[in-house]
Amino acid sequence: MKLLFGKWILLLLPVLWIGSSAHSVKDVHPFYVSVTEINHNAAEKSLEVVCKVFVDDMEDVLKKSFNTPVDLSQASQQARAQNLLNQYVQRHLQVQANGKPVTLQFIGFEKDSESVYCYLEGANIASVQKLDITNGLLHDLTPDQINIMHVTVGGKRQSTKLDFPAKQAHFKF
């Protein structure tokens, strides 16, 4: 009887561990990744930037960075959330086009079920031959962070992956 009970406990142990209050499913995060898309819009002479990050990761890093909880889904917190997202992204994402720093204007953000999208724009960029990017998004949250970047200029798309602690990417067109 003890042997049979022991087998049942061993089978239920993973379920009990995952379901316990000490270890939530959120603690067993399978991967940490962000995707940043940069598109040169020649007609508008601008760089259009979209950063996609898991909502829970972004909320966690904002809480850690600004020492205050943030709920990106609360309409009542939208202005505050936009301000914190802007500050965070400006600190952790810098772009140089043709050797000159690009000022990225934070346009806004939107949240879907699992992700938050941050929209930025760099103005007065007529052409791009070279982009140098520093992307340290979520590096201050986990050493498991991976940042993927896709850059499109003149219809040509280039991509790279930055594994922590790498932050620098260079693209030539």
Side-chain angles (χ1 to χ4, degrees), residues 129-161:
Q129 290 79 40
K130 183 174 122 177
L131 279 179
D132 299 305
I133 302 166
T134 301
N135 184 344
L137 293 172
L138 302 178
H139 279 203
D140 45 350
L141 182 64
T142 177
D144 298 325
Q145 182 62 33
I146 298 168
N147 292 325
I148 298 170
M149 292 188 300
H150 305 293
V151 177
T152 305
V153 174
K156 295 179 183 175
R157 181 176 165 133
Q158 296 181 20
S159 300
T160 194
K161 178 178 78 122

Side-chain angles (χ1 to χ4, degrees), residues 92-141:
H92 294 86
L93 182 69
Q94 292 86 40
V95 177
Q96 287 190 355
N98 306 320
K100 296 179 183 174
V102 174
T103 300
L104 295 175
Q105 176 71 36
F106 192 86
I107 305 300
F109 79 96
E110 65 182 336
K111 178 194 161 298
D112 71 12
S113 62
E114 295 181 0
S115 301
V116 61
Y117 297 83
C118 296
Y119 301 99
L120 302 100
E121 184 176 39
N124 301 317
I125 302 170
S127 66
V128 175
Q129 290 79 40
K130 183 174 122 177
L131 279 179
D132 299 305
I133 302 166
T134 301
N135 184 344
L137 293 172
L138 302 178
H139 279 203
D140 45 350
L141 182 64

Side-chain angles (χ1 to χ4, degrees), residues 1 4 16-17 21 24-25 29 35 40-41 43 47 50 53 79-80 84 86 89 104 125 141 145 147 154 158 162:
M1 184 67 161
L4 183 60
L16 293 172
W17 180 78
S21 61
S24 69
V25 174
H29 202 299
V35 178
H40 179 247
N41 184 330
L47 286 180
V50 180
V53 180
R80 180 173 161 268
L84 294 177
N86 178 30
V89 173
L104 295 175
I125 302 170
L141 182 64
Q145 182 62 33
N147 292 325
Q158 296 181 20
L162 297 173

